[in-house]
Amino acid sequence: MKKLLLTLVAGTLLASTAQAHNFEDAKDAIQYRQSGFSLIAYNFGDMGAMMKGKKPFDAETFAMRAKNVAALSHIPFEGFIDGSDKGDTEALAKVWQDKADFDAKMKTFQENAAILATVAQKGDQAEIKQAFMDTGKSCKGCHDVYKKD
Ligand code: ASC
């Protein structure tokens, strides 16, 4: 099942890499990616509150949030343009030094977010919990290495 899902989403992953960006400068790119991450954090945070029992689990809202995160997971990547390690950013220079690994970690996040959106639609609690944890791990896995704390 997981393999099938991955095959289905693989074609759309990192689609933004192939496009030329339209940012004026590094500041623009930084703002763009930070905006994307803010929207992800808002939506992921609400799912987290439900998972931790801080608020009641609402299947419809959760599925909407998961769908949002899956779509949003494709947004920040485009903002990591060359030279945008300098400025008002928490991204470490290591992002550009180890770009292939950074890209792979971003792709893993996108894959996990896509799986979460799919299982959230189906509504199986155990699957949702697992997929939520996998997605959270891929957020943290990248932050641990590439984000200032
Ligand atoms: C969030 C958020 C993150 C991740 C991370 C998951 O809600 O803002 O950066 O979850 O804490 O481990």
Side-chain angles (χ1 to χ4, degrees):
M1 185 61 185
K2 190 165 175 176
K3 205 167 187 181
L4 173 68
L5 284 171
L6 293 184
T7 312
L8 288 173
V9 296
T12 59
L13 295 174
L14 299 179
S16 56
T17 355
Q19 293 163 9
H21 67 75
N22 299 301
F23 301 118
E24 299 263 330
D25 50 25
K27 191 169 169 243
D28 246 19
I30 291 168
Q31 279 177 355
Y32 181 83
R33 70 190 186 222
Q34 288 178 345
S35 301
F37 283 128
S38 295
L39 297 174
I40 291 169
Y42 179 84
N43 282 275
F44 195 77
D46 197 47
M47 285 191 278
M50 288 188 226
M51 286 282 99
K52 288 177 200 146
K54 288 185 182 162
K55 64 189 286 188
F57 182 84
D58 178 79
E60 204 177 311
T61 305
F62 192 95
M64 180 269 284
R65 300 265 174 244
K67 197 174 154 196
N68 287 350
V69 170
L72 289 164
S73 69
H74 295 268
I75 299 295
F77 189 75
E78 188 178 349
F80 286 90
I81 62 169
D82 286 347
S84 64
D85 55 324
K86 302 200 174 55
D88 188 10
T89 178
E90 290 176 280
L92 296 172
K94 201 169 157 48
V95 167
W96 291 268
Q97 285 153 12
D98 294 337
K99 202 68 180 24
D101 179 66
F102 176 78
D103 293 359
K105 284 186 164 58
M106 189 66 95
K107 192 173 160 186
T108 300
F109 165 55
Q110 293 173 343
E111 287 169 352
N112 284 327
I115 291 168
L116 179 59
T118 305
V119 300
Q121 284 267 323
K122 291 196 299 162
D124 181 283
Q125 285 296 320
E127 276 188 342
I128 288 173
K129 195 165 186 190
Q130 185 60 53
F132 177 82
M133 278 170 29
D134 288 345
T135 306
K137 265 186 217 155
S138 48
C139 298
K140 191 176 181 323
C142 206
H143 292 170
D144 284 351
V145 190
Y146 295 110
K147 188 179 177 223
K148 270 179 222 163
D149 44 26

